Amino acid sequence: MAKAATRKKAKAKKAKTVEPKIYKGLAGVTVDTTSVSKVMPETNSLTYRGYAVQDLAANCKFEEVAYLLWHGELPTRSQLRKFEKDERSRRNISRAHIDVIRHFPRRAHPMDTIRTSVSYLGTTEIAWGGEPAGKDMDRAMNLLAKIPTMIATDYRFRKGLPRKAPRTDLSMSENFFHMCFGEVPPKEVIKAFDISLILYAEHSFNASTFTTRVITSSRSDIYSAVTGGIGSLKGPLHGGANEAVMHNLLEIRTPARAEKWLRDKQKNKELVMGFGHRVYKQGDSRVPTMRAALEDLAAWKGDTKWLEISDILQDIMINEKAIHPNLDFPAGPAYYLMGFDIDMYTPIFVMSRITGWAAHILEQNASNSLIRPLSAYGGRAQRKVKLISKR
Ligand code: COA
C-alpha cells in the first residue's frame, strides 16, 4: 500500500517536470526584432530598410547602401558626398599597423589576418577602461574605410609585393582593386564587384551578425564584436563557402566531368558547397542578380567554362534534391574571373558585411538586453567528490 503511494507520488512529480523544448541551432526561433533587413523565404526576397536588394544592386553604388543600412534612408547627393569624403579620408592605416601586418605568418589565411588586424585596430583606438557611449557610428566608419586597406596590404605582403597606399579619388570598389593589383579594371568589373558587395552587405540574424549582437549585448565594444563576427563568417557553413565553391569548380575542371563529380559527392553523402540555406528553401533571393553579374563577367573575359559547370551542378541539385544554390555559388567564380586569389573571397565578404554588422551593433546598443539563452543539462547527476586516495 505504502509502495503504491510512493510510486504514485514519484509519477506525479515526474509529470510536473516539463522537459524544455530544445531548438538546436536556434532553428525557427525569433529572438528579437530588427529594422535593418527582412528576409522573406516565402517569396524568395530580401529588403534592406524596405528596398529590394535587386533594386539597390541595379541603381545604387555600395557606398549608398552602406549609408542606407546605417542611417535608415538612402542619401541625398550632398549626404553621399559627405559620407564618401569621410570614408575616403580614413582609408590610411598607421605605420605600426602596417608593421603588424608585415609580420603575419605568410601562410596564415587572410581571414585570420583580417580578424587579428581588426582586433589590433581596437587596441589602438580603445583605451583601458572601455568605450564611451555614442562612438559606434564613428568606429563603424573607421572599420568600413580601413578594412579594405588591411586586406589589400596583407595580400600584397603575402605576395612579396610593396603595399599600394589607398587613393582618395576612387570609389571603395575601385580603390580596392588599385590597392590589390595596382590598377583599376574596366567599369564592367567594378560594377560586378560593387553588386557583390551590395548583395553580401546584410542578411538579418545570420550566424556572424548574431555573433556581433551577442558580443555587443554584454556592452562590449564594436571592435570586439566585429572580430567575433569575422571568426564566425570564416566557417565553411557560412562565408567560407564562396571559397569552397571555387575549389570545387577547379577540381571539376571541365563541364564533361561535372556530373560524375557530383554523383561521387552524393554517393559519399558529402555537402555540395554553395547549395542550401537555413532560411531560404525555395531559392536565395540574391542569386539571380549575382548570376547575371557573373554572366556579364564571363562574356567580358570570354570564359564561360565555370558557368557551364555551375549549370550542370545546379540542374541536378534543384531537379533531384530540391536544394537551391545560395549567393556563394555565383560569387565564387565571379571573384575568380576578377582575378582574386581564392583565399581573398571571404575577406571581400568581410569588407561588405561590416556594413550590416555595424547596423546591427547600433541597433542592439539602442535597445539592449543581454543575450543569454538557457540550456538543458544532459550530463551526470549530482555526485560527491571522493578523496583521491579512494578513487
Ligand atoms: N549539399 C548536399 N545536401 C545538402 C546541402 C548541400 N549543400 N544542404 C542541405 N543539404 C541536405 C541536408 O543534408 C539535409 O538532408 P537530410 O534531410 O537527408 O539530412 C537537407 O538537405 C536539409 O538540410 P539541413 O541540414 O536541414 O539545412 P540547414 O538549414 O541545417 O543547413 C546550410 C543550411 C547552409 C548549413 C547547409 O545547406 C550547408 O551546409 N550548405 C553548404 C554550405 C554553404 O553553401 N553555406 C553557405 C550558406 S549561405
Side-chain angles (χ1 to χ4, degrees):
M1 194 66 179
K3 256 189 187 170
T6 319
R7 264 205 307 272
K8 210 172 162 190
K9 236 178 169 177
K11 216 173 159 187
K13 197 174 164 197
K14 204 172 168 196
K16 262 194 211 157
T17 0
V18 183
E19 288 298 323
K21 184 163 168 35
I22 307 292
Y23 296 91
K24 198 98 172 147
L26 293 180
V29 176
T30 305
V31 295
D32 207 340
T33 52
T34 179
S35 57
V36 183
S37 68
K38 187 174 181 193
V39 182
M40 291 157 280
E42 58 289 353
T43 49
N44 298 344
S45 50
L46 166 68
T47 54
Y48 297 168
R49 305 279 189 191
Y51 294 102
V53 279
Q54 299 84 339
D55 198 4
L56 292 168
N59 297 301
C60 298
K61 59 198 278 200
F62 176 60
E63 287 86 336
E64 289 175 85
V65 175
Y67 185 100
L68 169 72
L69 289 171
W70 292 355
H71 296 278
E73 295 296 337
L74 281 167
T76 61
R77 215 181 280 270
S78 75
Q79 284 167 333
L80 179 62
R81 212 175 304 121
K82 197 164 160 239
F83 184 83
E84 287 188 314
K85 194 170 170 215
D86 190 12
E87 183 277 314
R88 289 174 191 206
S89 72
R90 297 176 190 236
R91 286 177 180 172
N92 269 311
I93 53 175
S94 70
R95 198 112 305 276
H97 197 158
I98 294 169
D99 277 342
V100 168
I101 296 174
R102 198 190 306 282
H103 288 101
F104 283 141
R106 287 284 176 271
R107 290 181 56 227
H109 191 283
M111 279 300 275
D112 293 332
T113 58
I114 186 60
R115 187 197 61 225
T116 310
S117 224
V118 165
S119 187
Y120 172 79
L121 188 64
T123 67
T124 65
E125 302 209 337
I126 295 182
W128 198 95
E131 177 79 330
K135 294 284 281 178
D136 282 347
M137 189 66 94
D138 181 65
R139 306 296 194 203
M141 187 58 113
N142 261 352
L143 285 162
L144 179 70
K146 293 184 197 306
I147 281 175
T149 313
M150 300 178 208
I151 296 170
T153 303
D154 180 55
Y155 171 79
R156 302 275 301 179
F157 288 166
R158 252 182 302 127
K159 294 205 163 297
L161 297 167
R163 89 181 196 104
K164 289 270 172 206
R167 279 171 51 181
T168 52
D169 58 327
L170 299 174
S171 71
M172 286 193 70
S173 293
E174 290 166 340
N175 180 53
F176 188 63
F177 277 88
H178 150 73
M179 290 190 296
C180 289
F181 303 122
E183 59 186 37
V184 179
K187 60 179 188 331
E188 293 88 336
V189 179
I190 294 295
K191 181 66 193 158
F193 188 72
D194 224 54
I195 286 173
S196 79
L197 295 186
I198 291 171
L199 297 177
Y200 268 137
E202 161 58 13
H203 214 215
S204 79
F205 279 34
N206 55 82
S208 60
T209 301
F210 191 59
T211 303
T212 66
R213 290 191 76 127
V214 170
I215 295 173
T216 303
S217 81
S218 74
R219 290 291 190 211
S220 188
D221 63 275
I222 189 170
Y223 295 102
S224 302
V226 172
T227 301
I230 297 172
S232 168
L233 188 71
K234 180 187 168 190
L237 297 189
H238 192 5
N242 58 10
E243 298 184 11
V245 165
M246 197 60 222
H247 284 299
N248 287 347
L249 293 179
L250 287 173
E251 192 181 308
I252 295 169
R253 280 207 314 271
T254 64
R257 288 164 44 94
E259 181 169 354
K260 160 118 183 30
W261 179 91
L262 184 58
R263 300 288 177 213
D264 287 347
K265 286 265 164 199
Q266 290 173 330
K267 219 182 291 157
N268 298 331
K269 301 219 170 314
E270 284 178 55
L271 283 175
V272 186
M273 302 314 265
F275 284 89
H277 199 274
R278 172 55 64 82
V279 182
Y280 298 117
K281 297 298 178 192
Q282 303 301 321
D284 181 330
S285 59
R286 304 161 296 178
V287 165
T289 312
M290 195 62 228
R291 163 76 192 207
L294 171 61
E295 282 174 14
D296 289 347
L297 276 171
W300 168 77
K301 267 263 179 185
D303 181 359
T304 55
K305 184 166 78 174
W306 312 113
L307 267 176
E308 289 163 38
I309 299 175
S310 300
D311 283 344
I312 295 167
L313 302 182
Q314 184 172 310
D315 285 351
I316 299 175
M317 289 295 282
I318 295 177
N319 295 333
E320 296 181 13
K321 299 276 168 197
I323 301 176
H324 294 256
N326 56 55
L327 175 57
D328 294 320
F329 193 61
Y335 291 144
Y336 185 81
L337 291 173
M338 290 176 202
F340 289 106
D341 287 354
I342 295 177
D343 57 12
M344 288 286 276
Y345 301 179
T346 324
I348 291 170
F349 194 159
V350 172
M351 69 180 259
S352 157
R353 186 54 64 86
I354 179 59
T355 55
W357 288 335
H360 281 274
I361 289 166
L362 289 160
E363 189 173 65
Q364 182 70 35
N365 264 332
S367 168
N368 191 47
S369 175
L370 179 71
I371 299 173
R372 203 305 187 188
L374 299 175
S375 58
Y377 179 65
R380 299 279 299 262
Q382 188 166 346
R383 46 197 169 145
K384 270 190 92 62
V385 173
K386 270 192 203 151
L387 291 178
I388 195 159
S389 55
K390 298 196 172 153
R391 265 180 253 153

